[in-house]
Amino acid sequence: VQLQASGGGLVQPGGSLRLSCAASGRTFSDYVMGYFRQAPGKDREFVAAINYVGFTTPYAPSVKGRFTISRDNAKNTVYLQMNSLKPEDTAVYYCAANGHHRGLSNWSEYDYWGQGTQVTVSS
């Protein structure tokens, strides 16, 4: 699976961004899709994941109520809608595909990764 990420950028605190991740090369429905993020000097952090029929994992406590993961299977694309952004959300965000359907919060269980997109929340 090739994953092409887009949608990052610079936003003021309280603002919104939507990340997109377009998949190609294999059957999109075979994969649970997840988002992770990594801030400078910190470990990669699980954000959320979603399966083919739209069931999601619990969100990371730091983003719960502000971020929403979704997918459009017709477009082979997964989205991360990020609202009420905070400076601590600043990180490189990665989309990833998990073909095992287990260990969804563990980055090492994911088979394919997008290139990462920078999100910077600053005034």
Side-chain angles (χ1 to χ4, degrees):
V1 175
Q2 290 79 46
L3 301 176
Q4 181 65 46
S6 61
L10 173 64
V11 63
Q12 292 187 343
S16 297
L17 281 175
R18 189 178 78 158
L19 305 183
S20 300
C21 178
S24 62
R26 288 184 182 255
T27 306
F28 189 57
S29 61
D30 288 345
Y31 295 89
V32 174
M33 300 300 296
Y35 269 99
F36 290 77
R37 67 184 183 181
Q38 189 164 21
K42 295 189 177 182
D43 292 336
R44 192 165 298 190
E45 177 188 21
F46 172 75
V47 175
I50 185 168
N51 72 2
Y52 181 71
V53 297
F55 290 124
T56 66
T57 60
Y59 289 77
S62 56
V63 309
K64 186 177 180 180
R66 301 187 297 121
F67 290 13
T68 303
I69 191 170
S70 62
R71 64 193 285 167
D72 184 335
N73 294 321
K75 296 181 178 180
N76 287 357
T77 301
V78 62
Y79 304 98
L80 185 68
Q81 178 66 43
M82 304 184 294
N83 298 329
S84 301
L85 283 161
K86 305 175 181 180
E88 51 263 43
D89 294 318
T90 295
V92 177
Y93 284 71
Y94 298 91
C95 61
N98 181 320
H100 314 292
H101 297 210
R102 64 176 185 263
L104 299 182
S105 62
N106 186 344
W107 66 266
S108 66
E109 294 286 350
Y110 284 73
D111 306 292
Y112 303 98
W113 289 83
Q115 77 275 25
T117 185
Q118 177 70 46
V119 171
T120 301
V121 185
S122 175
S123 55

